[in-house]
Amino acid sequence: MAATMVRERIQSKHVCVVGAGPSGLVAARELRKEGHSVVVMEQNHDIGGQWLYEPKVEGEDALGKSTFLKVHSSMYDSLRLFSPREIMGFSDFPFVVKKGRDMRRFPGHRELLLYLQDFCEWFGLREMMRFKTRVEYVGMLDSDQVGRDLKWVVKSRDMESEKVLEEVFDAVVVATGHYSKPRLPSIKGMDVWKRKQMHSHIYRVPEPFRQEVVVIVGNSHSGEDISIGLVDVAKEIHLSVKSLDLSEGLSKFISKYHNLHLHSQIESLHEDGRVVFVDGSWVMADTIIYCTGYSYSFPFLDTKGIVVVDDNRVGPLYEHTFPPLLAPSLSFVGIPRKIIAFPFFESQAIWIAQLLSGKKTLPSFHDMMRSIEDFYRSREIAGIPKRYTHELADFEYCDKYGDNVGFPHLEEWRKGLCVSAVLKAMANLETFRDSGDEDELLQVALQSPHFTQFPQSPSQHFTT
């Protein structure tokens, strides 16, 4: 009798998930597991989000200034994972080695796409998907209902027929990722520089830059990776960085190649092709590639100004997930960065699903706002700029977040392998992915329940 009463209290909602990348896939799984009706809208032809490599970028705005970009993925052909595969899997679906595929611990991007496809097939998620469907508008059905039982209007376009469909959902989960909308610096002369300028969002292969003089702006992962890719092809590479205080790995890399040069920030660009740096030095360049990161962007979302993106801070969001005035009917999965992503996305998805079913409740609006303000204040005191609001780099935070739904804490081996990869990359930029000095920690990982829990019956499906 008690079980029946509990079942009656569980509410089933009609939920739209925007995006079928890693965060959207796990959100769909957890929502359905909790008894909700789910539709996943994905503008591409398949699942994967960023991990669905798109080699054809000719039609894209080189600097990514369009409101709706034609190309979502920012993957380049040579990209390999920055983290080892062991730490990347969802809690109940390890990212194992499979014969006949990329068996490296730091595999290429296609291997992660295949993992996501395996995840999708294993849990039967495709039946919830609508591919080649671009969400163009998400807004409140009745904005007078803010703070109560909101419903959402979703307008989507079938990208083949161009037909626009308008539907009403009880809830919307935004899972569109954060590596698509280029973030550009403001440099004097950008608008008059006549030669090729592009954001790394549309960089794919080094060949088009053969024998060119290339200026790369920024030494993020992509800046370093693209420099490595170009070094045997380009005539000269000039890496412009904010700080000349470099990691040991980047210093080693730069000193190894005669055609790779380090510079301070760019002062100005000139019509004749000159790139002038703040120290007064200059080069005549053929191409500038801006490896300057990405901005959060939700061009389809109309919250009447309740949720805004201000200097790359999406807010206000309680625990980087819930807008206090609109939650739980509107939520975001995958906003935080510098975390072990997939387990965190999973804990977000579980919490959202349980809030929508009534199994869990959020704190009051005022308590959520106070929590957000306290978090902002703590970041300000720590001297962290607003644009880094969602860069967490904090295992303890991820564990506390998971406590909201009893999600298991990150295993010590997972944390250890994560930190080890970061330290090795700082020491040996070119070779860290292929150094094999983690045998002891790796064995602990492979013998842990994360890897041994997986049912043995489908052994033909997974081969370790």
Side-chain angles (χ1 to χ4, degrees):
M1 181 69 177
T4 306
M5 288 173 67
V6 169
R7 273 198 300 272
E8 284 173 356
R9 286 201 299 269
I10 299 297
Q11 304 164 48
S12 175
K13 298 290 178 72
H14 189 40
V15 186
C16 176
V17 176
V18 185
S23 57
L25 292 176
V26 75
R29 184 187 74 163
E30 295 305 328
L31 287 161
R32 188 180 63 182
K33 191 190 291 185
E34 191 64 17
H36 302 295
S37 156
V38 185
V39 175
V40 182
M41 298 188 187
E42 168 54 53
Q43 64 183 346
N44 233 314
H45 65 277
D46 201 357
I47 62 104
Q50 273 301 318
W51 301 98
L52 185 60
Y53 177 64
E54 176 49 75
K56 296 176 182 174
V57 294
E58 292 77 16
E60 186 61 278
D61 180 337
L63 294 175
K65 291 181 176 178
S66 306
T67 302
F68 285 98
L69 296 174
K70 295 173 186 172
V71 177
H72 178 74
S73 177
S74 299
M75 291 289 144
Y76 39 93
D77 184 57
S78 62
L79 185 138
R80 288 176 65 185
L81 303 192
F82 190 80
S83 301
R85 66 163 73 231
E86 297 84 24
I87 75 171
M88 292 195 67
F90 293 113
S91 70
D92 56 355
F93 198 77
F95 187 9
V96 297
V97 172
K98 296 182 73 172
K99 288 178 181 174
R101 297 212 319 219
D102 188 341
M103 300 173 73
R104 296 173 294 180
R105 292 190 58 226
F106 293 79
H109 56 80
R110 176 160 174 76
E111 183 64 14
L112 187 52
L113 175 65
L114 293 174
Y115 165 78
L116 293 171
Q117 289 177 342
D118 289 341
F119 178 80
C120 198
E121 303 306 326
W122 188 266
F123 293 103
L125 305 181
R126 284 189 183 271
E127 64 192 37
M128 294 182 274
M129 306 287 161
R130 282 191 210 159
F131 295 116
K132 295 186 178 178
T133 301
R134 186 172 70 200
V135 173
E136 296 191 336
Y137 175 83
V138 171
M140 292 169 270
L141 180 64
D142 181 358
S143 55
D144 292 339
Q145 291 293 312
V146 166
R148 293 190 290 251
D149 194 18
L150 270 177
K151 290 188 183 295
W152 294 86
V153 176
V154 176
K155 294 179 186 175
S156 61
R157 183 181 298 273
D158 183 307
M159 296 176 73
E160 290 187 326
S161 70
E162 290 293 323
K163 183 181 175 184
V164 175
L165 185 63
E166 183 173 314
E167 299 165 273
V168 175
F169 290 87
D170 298 313
V172 173
V173 178
V174 179
T176 50
H178 50 241
Y179 292 115
S180 288
K181 181 64 176 174
R183 184 178 174 91
L184 293 167
S186 178
I187 298 173
K188 183 183 175 185
M190 274 180 81
D191 54 339
V192 299
W193 204 72
K194 296 281 193 286
R195 301 186 182 188
K196 187 162 60 179
Q197 296 184 78
M198 58 185 280
H199 190 275
S200 59
H201 171 62
I202 61 164
Y203 172 86
R204 291 300 181 262
V205 292
E207 189 55 38
F209 307 93
R210 182 166 293 282
Q211 286 306 303
E212 285 194 354
V213 175
V214 180
V215 173
I216 292 179
V217 181
N219 63 325
S220 60
H221 294 330
S222 61
E224 293 171 349
D225 250 7
I226 290 171
S227 298
I228 291 170
L230 290 177
V231 79
D232 293 324
V233 172
K235 182 181 178 182
E236 296 172 17
I237 300 163
H238 297 268
L239 185 58
S240 169
V241 299
K242 275 184 182 176
S243 169
L244 297 176
D245 182 17
L246 305 179
S247 70
E248 179 189 357
L250 184 55
S251 296
K252 280 183 193 172
F253 171 59
I254 290 170
S255 63
K256 184 177 169 183
Y257 295 96
H258 71 277
N259 63 336
L260 184 55
H261 310 278
L262 185 67
H263 296 271
S264 54
Q265 288 184 279
I266 296 173
E267 169 71 31
S268 57
L269 306 178
H270 297 264
E271 283 189 69
D272 61 0
R274 276 180 304 142
V275 177
V276 179
F277 302 97
V278 293
D279 63 3
S281 65
W282 61 272
V283 297
M284 196 71 83
D286 299 299
T287 298
I288 301 173
I289 304 177
Y290 297 102
C291 300
T292 46
Y294 296 87
S295 297
Y296 295 96
S297 179
F298 312 101
F300 54 86
L301 184 60
D302 177 10
T303 63
K304 306 298 180 194
I306 292 172
V307 179
V308 297
V309 181
D310 176 22
D311 193 15
N312 232 23
R313 170 185 284 172
V314 186
L317 291 183
Y318 176 64
E319 303 291 7
H320 306 272
T321 311
F322 305 104
L325 261 181
L326 305 174
S329 68
L330 179 68
S331 57
F332 295 76
V333 180
I335 295 281
R337 297 191 288 207
K338 294 194 176 177
I339 53 168
I340 301 179
F342 288 16
F344 189 81
F345 297 166
E346 190 176 352
S347 64
Q348 285 186 293
I350 293 169
W351 197 7
I352 291 165
Q354 293 188 0
L355 285 164
L356 289 173
S357 71
K359 202 179 276 184
K360 300 282 184 186
T361 55
L362 285 168
S364 71
F365 168 78
H366 294 292
D367 286 347
M368 287 192 280
M369 288 304 297
R370 191 178 304 115
S371 171
I372 294 166
E373 286 156 11
D374 288 347
F375 175 71
Y376 289 170
R377 199 172 303 113
S378 71
R379 303 285 279 189
E380 196 177 326
I381 290 168
I384 299 169
K386 183 188 283 189
R387 65 182 179 277
Y388 300 136
T389 294
H390 305 294
E391 291 192 0
L392 301 182
D394 186 346
F395 293 138
E396 188 180 340
Y397 175 83
C398 296
D399 286 344
K400 284 182 178 175
Y401 187 102
D403 288 344
N404 289 295
V405 287
F407 191 75
H409 287 190
L410 291 166
E411 305 92 336
E412 290 305 314
W413 59 259
R414 203 184 291 250
K415 298 176 189 176
L417 289 174
C418 177
V419 171
S420 172
V422 172
L423 294 177
K424 286 200 299 181
M426 290 173 69
N428 291 289
L429 189 60
E430 283 187 281
T431 60
F432 79 95
R433 292 177 176 89
D434 298 309
S435 64
D437 55 1
E438 292 173 330
D439 289 348
E440 191 174 327
L441 203 50
L442 185 56
Q443 287 311 308
V444 172
L446 295 176
Q447 291 165 18
S448 72
H450 176 66
F451 284 94
T452 60
Q453 71 180 330
F454 205 82
Q456 295 303 305
S457 52
S459 56
Q460 70 284 358
H461 195 83
F462 281 87
T463 309
T464 55

